[in-house]
Structures are given as C-alpha cells and as structure tokens.
Amino acid sequence: MIRIAIQAKGRLNEDSVELLREAGITFEDSKRKLLAKSDDFPIEILYLRDDDIPQAVAMGVADIGIVGLNEVEEKAQEIDVVHKLGFGKCRISIAIPKAEEYNGVEALAGKRIATSYPVILKKFLDEKNVDAEIHEIAGSVEIAPAVGMADAIFDIVSSGGTLITNGLKEVEKVMYSEAVLVANKGLSEECKNILNQLLFRIESVERSRGMKYVLMNLPESKVEEVISILPALKSPTILPLTQKGWCALHVVINEKELWGKIEQLKTIGAEDILVLALEKMIL
Ligand code: ATP
Ligand code: MG
C-alpha cells in the first residue's frame, strides 16, 4: 500500500484527481473523506492543503504527493521530485507599481517586498546581492502596494491579469513552476514498486495526450508513398481488404500534425479516413 497526498481543494485538486482516475485508479473525492482508499490499486489518497504536502511527504505521513514545484522549493524539505506533470503551470515574479521606473534588480534595494514565498525570494535576493526587506503575508499579496503595506510584491503569476487589475507590472520572473510528483527519500521496496507501477500508468496517459488513431483505405501500390510521410511507433499496421489491390492502414498521429497529414494522404489516394481518440499508449 502506498499513500499519496494531493491538494484537498484549489487549483491542483481537479487535475490531480483526473490524472489518477485516467491511470485507472478509482477512489472517493475530498468532499466525502480526507483519506480515501482505492479498491482497484494499492493506494490511499490523503487530501491536504498544498502547503502541508512537502512536509507530509518528508515525514513519511504520505509516501508520495502531487504539489507545485513552488511549494517544494519554498518548504525546502528533503524530498525527491520524481516526475513533472505538466499542469498547474505558473511563474513566481516580482512586480512593482506600474508607474514606477525599473532598471534592474538594484532598484529593489531597501524596498519592502510582500510575499507568501519568503524562502524563494530570499534566495533570489541573496544571489543578486540585493538587500531588501521581506514582508511575509499569507494572502491578498497583490493589494499590498496599493494599501501602503509594501513597495513591491513577489507572487504567483499565470496570465498577468491580476497584476494589471491591481496596477502592477512584472519586473523579474524568478521561477517557473508546475505540478510535480514527489516522493519520500526512504521509500520501502513495496512502495517503490507501487510508485513504479503508477509512473508507468502516468507515462502511458501522458504519451496518449494529443494523439489520434487514424485508419484509412488505400491502393496497395500507394503504401510505400504513404508510409514515407507518416510517423509510426514502429511501422504502420497494414491489413488486406477483400477488395483486390486495396488495403487498410492504421497509424498513430499527433493531433497537431493531423490535418496537414490528412491533406497529403488524400492527395496520394487514401480514402475512408477515420480518426479515433486514443486513450492509452502502452509501450
Ligand atoms: P491551499 O488551500 O491548498 O493552501 P492555495 O490557496 O495555497 O491552496 P491554490 O491557489 O489552489 O493554492 O494554488 C495551488 C498551486 O497551483 C500553486 O501553489 C501553484 O503551484 C499552482 N498555480 C498555478 N497557476 C496558479 C495561479 N494562477 N494562481 C495560483 N496558483 C497557481
Ligand atoms: Mg496553500
């Protein structure tokens, strides 16, 4: 049995739950229970605040967890980052009032910077040799300059809309973050095995994202030409049709390339092209 800590509610909750469900794991959501057990995979889901996940994993209260890289850095706990998950993307930036001039980090010397990420900010300021005052506040960081609590802020930015609304401009992008899978450093052999099974499933889910399964009929004489323009896991599958001189070809194509390839396939002579969703890609 392995125990995974995920965010109980908030921006990472939904994607974390969806990832585990896509990996074929069923369990109850956080509205019903704070500790849920799956009955089809040896895993327990512990729902926590994201701030508490790095410590819970470091202490072994949970064996593994899903949390933002920003929280991993901030909490500076001894844990392993095992896998990047590609959701919850954001950056943590320094922002100052729009009207103020800015010509480099030195401009921050002697300023008061409000943040919920004092550890990451201190590390950045020390690296840049800038002496500024760090004001730790738990929330509503972006209004601190307007109400005279600070001269600048260091906070999460995704689209930048919140900054604009609050009359601020982003001047230093300090760190990029996304959700990551973290693990306790002393996992038992049993837990390591379960973690590997979970990673195998997650990677299969990720690999199939944006991929389509494409089937088409084409004259046998065109097979070589069609193969030359198609990507394939190994080589495409070709099946004979009852109609003489024709065959069916199956191939996996990235959605981004799909329409371009379909145009080319039709020009070569492919017919009856079917595009299907691909759920899992297990190699
Ligand atoms: P909790 O109640 O669990 O402490 P929270 O309020 O601290 O939640 P959320 O706002 O739910 O946190 O954000 C969780 C994580 O989502 C952040 O730490 C960050 O990694 C990521 N994230 C991605 N985009 C954004 C964004 N635009 N604003 C805030 N967090 C974001
Ligand atoms: Mg939090």
Side-chain angles (χ1 to χ4, degrees):
M1 179 71 69
I2 202 167
R3 187 182 283 170
I4 186 168
I6 66 172
Q7 196 189 23
K9 48 178 189 285
R11 284 171 206 268
L12 299 181
N13 169 269
E14 213 173 285
D15 286 333
S16 305
V17 167
E18 193 184 304
L19 180 70
L20 294 176
R21 296 227 162 114
E22 278 181 323
I25 302 171
T26 44
F27 52 93
E28 285 182 88
D29 62 30
S30 62
K31 284 176 214 85
R32 300 172 63 104
K33 275 186 180 162
L34 289 182
L35 184 63
K37 195 169 167 301
S38 167
D39 36 44
D40 48 18
F41 193 79
I43 197 165
E44 268 179 344
I45 324 297
L46 174 64
Y47 294 101
L48 294 178
R49 283 200 56 183
D50 70 342
D51 310 58
D52 297 331
I53 293 176
Q55 197 189 5
V57 172
M59 286 170 58
V61 171
D63 304 298
I64 56 176
I66 296 178
V67 67
L69 199 54
N70 53 322
E71 290 298 336
V72 176
E73 288 279 311
E74 180 61 28
K75 298 299 185 289
Q77 297 281 333
E78 285 287 308
I79 49 178
D80 288 329
V81 173
V82 184
H83 192 77
K84 291 187 177 174
L85 296 169
F87 57 84
K89 286 194 174 173
C90 59
R91 55 188 188 271
I92 316 190
S93 299
I94 298 179
I96 62 169
K98 201 170 53 203
E100 246 160 70
E101 233 184 273
Y102 188 81
N103 37 33
V105 271
E106 306 77 44
L108 299 167
K111 296 277 165 72
R112 296 165 304 162
I113 311 175
T115 188
S116 313
Y117 295 97
V119 173
I120 301 173
L121 178 58
K122 181 166 185 333
K123 195 164 156 228
F124 173 76
L125 294 173
D126 286 351
E127 266 166 26
K128 301 284 178 191
N129 264 321
V130 172
D131 195 11
E133 234 181 88
I134 299 175
H135 278 245
E136 185 177 352
I137 54 177
S140 309
V141 172
E142 61 281 359
I143 60 147
V147 297
M149 257 166 78
D151 307 304
I153 66 161
F154 176 58
D155 202 8
I156 289 182
V157 180
S158 56
S159 67
T162 314
L163 292 184
I164 295 169
T165 321
N166 288 284
L168 300 168
K169 64 177 175 191
E170 186 176 12
V171 292
E172 294 287 342
K173 294 174 185 160
V174 174
M175 118 167 240
Y176 285 85
S177 178
E178 66 184 273
V180 290
L181 185 66
V182 292
N184 178 278
K185 281 191 172 290
L187 287 186
S188 66
E189 283 307 308
E190 186 204 350
C191 282
K192 276 187 201 161
N193 283 336
I194 303 172
L195 173 58
N196 283 336
Q197 285 176 43
L198 179 64
L199 276 170
F200 177 80
R201 292 189 184 195
I202 290 175
E203 281 163 11
S204 304
V205 171
E206 287 170 346
R207 220 176 280 127
S208 66
R209 284 207 181 119
M211 301 302 260
K212 297 288 174 197
Y213 192 77
V214 181
L215 299 84
M216 71 203 80
N217 294 335
L218 76 159
E220 276 166 356
S221 59
K222 303 287 184 186
V223 167
E224 289 301 318
E225 203 180 337
V226 164
I227 289 177
S228 70
I229 66 153
L230 288 179
L233 290 179
K234 282 199 176 65
S235 60
T237 307
I238 296 169
L239 302 168
L241 291 185
T242 43
Q243 190 179 347
K244 233 177 162 281
W246 280 74
C247 63
L249 187 142
H250 297 197
V251 71
V252 173
I253 300 183
N254 193 311
E255 201 166 11
K256 289 191 199 107
E257 298 178 77
L258 187 68
W259 288 108
K261 293 290 182 198
I262 284 179
E263 298 304 325
Q264 292 180 43
L265 291 167
K266 282 171 68 83
T267 321
I268 296 171
E271 292 179 8
D272 311 321
I273 302 172
L274 300 181
V275 180
L276 309 179
L278 189 77
E279 202 176 307
K280 306 258 180 337
M281 233 160 104
I282 297 161
L283 301 181

